[in-house]
Amino acid sequence: MVENGRIQKAFPMDAFLIQGGRRLKGTAVINGSKNAALPILIATLLTDETCTITNVPDLRDISTTYRLLEELGKKVTVTGKTVKVEYRRKLKTKAPYKIVKQMRASILVAGPLLARFGNVRVSLPGGCAIGMRPIDLHLKGFETMGAQSRTEQGDVVLATEGLLAKRVRLTFPSVGATENIMMAAAATSGTTIIDNAAREPEIEDLGNFLTGIGAVVTGAGGKRIKIIGAAKLHGSRHRVIPDRIETGTYLCAVAAAGGDVKLKGAEPKHLEALVAAMKKAGAKISKIPGGMRIVSSGRPKPVSILTKPHPGFPTDVQAPWMAYMALCSGKARVREEIFENRFMHAAELLRMGASIVVDGNTATIRGVPDLSGAEIMASDIRAGAGLIVAALAAHGTTKVGRVYHIDRGYERIEYVLRRLGAKILRVKE
Ligand code: UD1
């Protein structure tokens, strides 16, 4: 890989030391979306021509994706936020465990490679801290399109005499399954329909990229997506949408710690459920030219939420939201409807003085007036982000361990927060 830009350097045992209780003020620039950039970078496997992707965030999951593309045969050149993906040699059709185990989204190579070469072998991703995370919906989709699948020595092996454009109905609007099937369909002649598709903004962005390289995708962002595929796709240039989860995390951080911050590049129409909940809690959020502004207003009112597929409340902002609600003036519930085990941060928040009872997929929070600093640990990307939100609002010093989880999804979060006035240091444990 050629790197002409800054690549975030992190060490496995880094921790953050955060001295909380300081108001946040100023402007933060929102990066390109990790969850949009990942499938778009992987979709470059659909063509031998050169694709240039701009506004790509500098994150650990993104560098893992570069390694995956290179392993499969692409040449990747990174210049700042611009990434050029070119032909190097005929692509391999096997994604190895050493990369898949670092990033579950590697399974997305299945769709493009299966459609182009008629076979693919990807190590099974396995579960993770937030749940089992099966891939049955991806596989059912490919089977509907005429592939056979089997598991062999920890790998899923897919083969086909040639995929067929079909109607695929998802029993649940899985983001990954929708993306995988869209990519397979883009390189399959004929019209594929995906019913009950995921409606996340990242799906719409992938649809626009696929249209840019020669497929015709309509309805992405809605429940029914139509993809007219083409046997040969071409190169293109594409700009990644802003990261709505990074935006949501900073909104929760400012609301919890107090302050007045502009988020440059943020897209409010991607975050309607969160913004509605934050306004109910009392935060003042407005659309400003080129972004959003948040002004905090003291202790939040209790607001209960349940996570849902888009346009519902995003599961990826559930942990930052819980940290914010830990300070509410009453009782609020958080119900997690997407992942079966996504409350690992609750136990850490208890160490900071929060009052939270978890029962199955529901957490009941009795707001406390103050949180206090403690030594705590991140268990996944978003749980880690939730702990940072709590630490910024707490009195005293918090040490957040296992920062490598947070580095997977937040670009230089400590620099951004320091510019807003937070006291946060990266230290080696
Ligand atoms: C994507 C996001 C992740 C976000 C999630 C839900 C990326 C890289 N990651 O993950 O940040 O939290 O959407 O918004 O974009 N499921 C099945 N069978 C399948 C596929 C999924 O049962 O074949 C289940 C999962 O276990 C989970 C739920 O469906 O409980 C949602 O998963 P899915 O929408 O597929 O999420 P990801 O694409 O993995």
Side-chain angles (χ1 to χ4, degrees):
M1 184 173 85
V2 185
E3 293 170 9
N4 299 320
R6 304 174 306 170
I7 293 281
Q8 178 161 291
K9 295 276 183 284
F11 300 90
M13 294 320 280
D14 285 359
F16 283 141
L17 277 184
I18 301 170
Q19 204 182 312
R22 295 167 67 92
R23 288 175 73 78
L24 303 176
K25 271 175 69 179
T27 301
V29 178
I30 297 302
N31 291 291
S33 158
K34 166 179 91 72
N35 287 352
L38 283 178
I40 289 170
L41 286 166
I42 288 175
T44 64
L45 295 170
L46 286 164
T47 175
D48 284 338
E49 294 185 17
T50 301
C51 294
T52 305
I53 318 296
T54 63
N55 202 29
V56 179
D58 177 8
L59 297 170
R60 217 157 62 85
D61 273 9
I62 296 289
S63 8
T64 306
T65 309
Y66 300 153
R67 278 215 309 287
L68 179 60
L69 293 175
E70 297 234 301
E71 171 79 26
L72 294 171
K74 289 286 192 185
K75 178 179 174 202
V76 178
T77 310
V78 184
T79 308
K81 301 272 177 189
T82 299
V83 181
K84 195 158 81 170
V85 185
E86 291 169 280
Y87 180 85
R88 183 161 54 88
R89 60 164 159 71
K90 187 173 180 305
L91 294 177
K92 288 194 223 164
T93 55
K94 181 175 184 327
Y97 186 57
K98 66 174 187 220
I99 298 184
V100 178
K101 74 176 182 199
Q102 289 179 39
M103 189 185 66
R104 305 186 77 272
S106 307
I107 187 65
L108 294 178
V109 305
L113 295 177
L114 177 67
R116 278 192 76 186
F117 304 107
N119 69 85
V120 65
R121 185 175 186 120
V122 185
S123 274
L124 275 169
C128 70
I130 61 175
M132 287 283 289
R133 308 189 75 172
I135 54 161
D136 55 311
L137 300 172
H138 302 235
L139 300 183
K140 269 188 208 141
F142 297 140
E143 282 162 11
T144 306
M145 295 175 76
Q148 294 85 45
S149 75
R150 61 178 200 279
T151 308
E152 216 178 83
Q153 293 169 330
D155 297 340
V156 55
V157 182
L158 288 155
T160 177
E161 298 286 303
L163 287 183
L164 302 169
K166 292 274 181 190
R167 171 163 297 182
V168 177
R169 196 189 145 72
L170 296 176
T171 47
F172 176 84
S174 152
V175 173
T178 303
E179 291 167 345
N180 231 338
I181 297 161
M182 283 169 81
M183 290 189 279
T188 302
S189 300
T191 304
T192 298
I193 308 268
I194 307 176
D195 273 326
N196 198 26
R199 288 186 278 166
E200 273 67 3
E202 295 77 23
I203 302 278
E204 202 176 337
D205 207 23
L206 176 63
N208 290 336
F209 174 76
L210 295 175
T211 298
I213 62 171
V216 181
V217 181
T218 47
K223 276 190 172 170
R224 168 175 286 196
I225 304 176
K226 191 166 123 184
I227 305 118
I228 306 176
K232 193 166 182 321
L233 297 164
H234 53 75
S236 169
R237 194 179 169 88
H238 181 88
R239 185 180 165 82
V240 173
I241 56 168
D243 197 311
R244 67 193 166 99
I245 307 303
E246 185 188 42
T247 306
T249 302
Y250 289 134
L251 288 175
C252 291
V254 178
D260 178 352
V261 168
K262 293 189 180 110
L263 298 173
K264 204 171 148 197
E267 178 49 77
K269 71 171 192 285
H270 293 167
L271 275 166
E272 283 171 356
L274 173 68
V275 169
M278 293 199 83
K279 284 185 173 169
K280 262 202 209 164
K284 296 184 187 70
I285 299 178
S286 51
K287 189 171 169 10
I288 55 171
M292 291 165 81
R293 178 178 176 198
I294 169 156
V295 182
S296 67
S297 65
R299 216 174 153 187
K301 295 189 200 101
V303 178
S304 295
I305 57 113
L306 60 162
T307 64
K308 286 269 180 211
H310 193 77
F313 192 100
T315 173
D316 285 348
V317 189
Q318 182 256 101
W321 178 264
M322 190 185 288
Y324 172 44
M325 275 299 120
L327 293 161
C328 76
S329 58
K331 191 167 90 176
R333 281 206 176 82
V334 168
R335 209 159 92 206
E336 174 56 55
E337 301 237 314
I338 306 293
F339 291 105
E340 67 257 35
N341 183 25
R342 211 176 196 183
F343 284 146
M344 301 281 275
H345 44 285
E348 304 299 299
L349 293 174
L350 292 185
R351 291 174 54 78
M352 301 181 72
S355 168
I356 303 169
V357 177
V358 173
D359 180 12
N361 72 342
T362 305
T364 305
I365 306 154
R366 279 183 197 283
V368 292
D370 279 314
L371 293 172
S372 58
E375 194 167 333
I376 51 176
M377 226 158 29
S379 54
D380 69 76
I381 311 181
R382 310 303 173 185
L387 300 184
I388 289 189
V389 169
L392 292 168
H395 290 298
T397 303
T398 298
K399 184 174 183 184
V400 183
R402 300 199 178 159
V403 157
Y404 60 90
H405 287 298
I406 301 167
D407 290 331
R408 287 183 55 196
Y410 294 87
E411 187 176 325
R412 294 181 185 80
I413 191 167
E414 70 269 38
Y415 293 91
V416 177
L417 291 171
R418 263 206 299 273
R419 282 199 56 188
L420 297 178
K423 282 210 159 170
I424 171 169
L425 272 184
R426 185 184 284 262
V427 294
K428 293 195 195 336
E429 287 199 289

